[in-house]
Amino acid sequence: MRMATSKTFDALVAEEQLADPSFKAEWQRLAPAREFAATLLRYRAEHKLSQRALAKKLGISQPRVVKLESGEHNPEIDTIINAVRSLGIEFALDVAPTGRRPALVTARAQKGRAIAHEDVSVVAASSA
């Protein structure tokens, strides 16, 4: 009897990136969106807010919060700035040429890893 092995999410993503270059490109392109989504989700959980309540704080619609929390669309800079202002959070996005580690990010973000995105490296991080 063969036992099923469970793979981590990161292992599954790495496998898919090796198998499908278009998946890899899209995964890399949306790295900032996933980090921003995680930031909003953490904030909402820590402050025990519904999506509707978060939308009110941000001055946007609840469906817009759903879209931002999905991590499937890179947010516009104005959206990030609005969230920083409205929620009192910090969000860093550092973009540098491939082969050079981004150096302008906060110490917290530097603990993360840069994600190669075509001809640049991207580090997205937050303090939330």
Side-chain angles (χ1 to χ4, degrees):
M1 181 172 171
R2 190 171 164 196
M3 291 187 70
T5 58
S6 61
K7 296 181 181 178
T8 65
F9 179 74
D10 288 341
L12 291 171
V13 169
E15 228 174 67
E16 188 63 29
Q17 286 184 21
L18 287 173
D20 185 352
S22 63
F23 173 84
K24 180 178 181 178
E26 187 67 359
W27 184 258
Q28 292 168 338
R29 186 183 75 76
L30 292 175
R34 289 191 307 278
E35 183 63 34
F36 190 67
T39 300
L40 293 180
L41 287 163
R42 276 191 305 272
Y43 182 90
R44 215 165 46 81
E46 289 169 3
H47 294 85
K48 297 177 175 55
L49 297 174
S50 65
Q51 286 180 333
R52 189 175 314 276
L54 180 61
K56 186 174 181 180
K57 283 184 79 85
L58 292 173
I60 61 176
S61 68
Q62 185 267 338
R64 179 77 174 123
V65 170
V66 170
K67 185 176 179 179
L68 290 170
E69 287 185 349
S70 77
E72 295 177 1
H73 309 277
N74 277 320
E76 295 180 5
I77 294 297
D78 290 342
T79 300
I80 294 170
I81 291 169
N82 179 54
V84 167
R85 282 185 183 134
S86 301
L87 306 178
I89 60 174
E90 185 176 330
F91 188 83
L93 180 64
D94 193 347
V95 182
T98 299
R100 190 176 98 207
R101 179 149 174 84
L104 301 175
V105 295
T106 64
R108 180 180 174 138
Q110 288 177 4
K111 292 177 186 174
R113 50 179 212 270
I115 298 166
H117 174 61
E118 296 177 10
D119 59 346
V120 298
S121 293
V122 177
V123 171
S126 67
S127 65

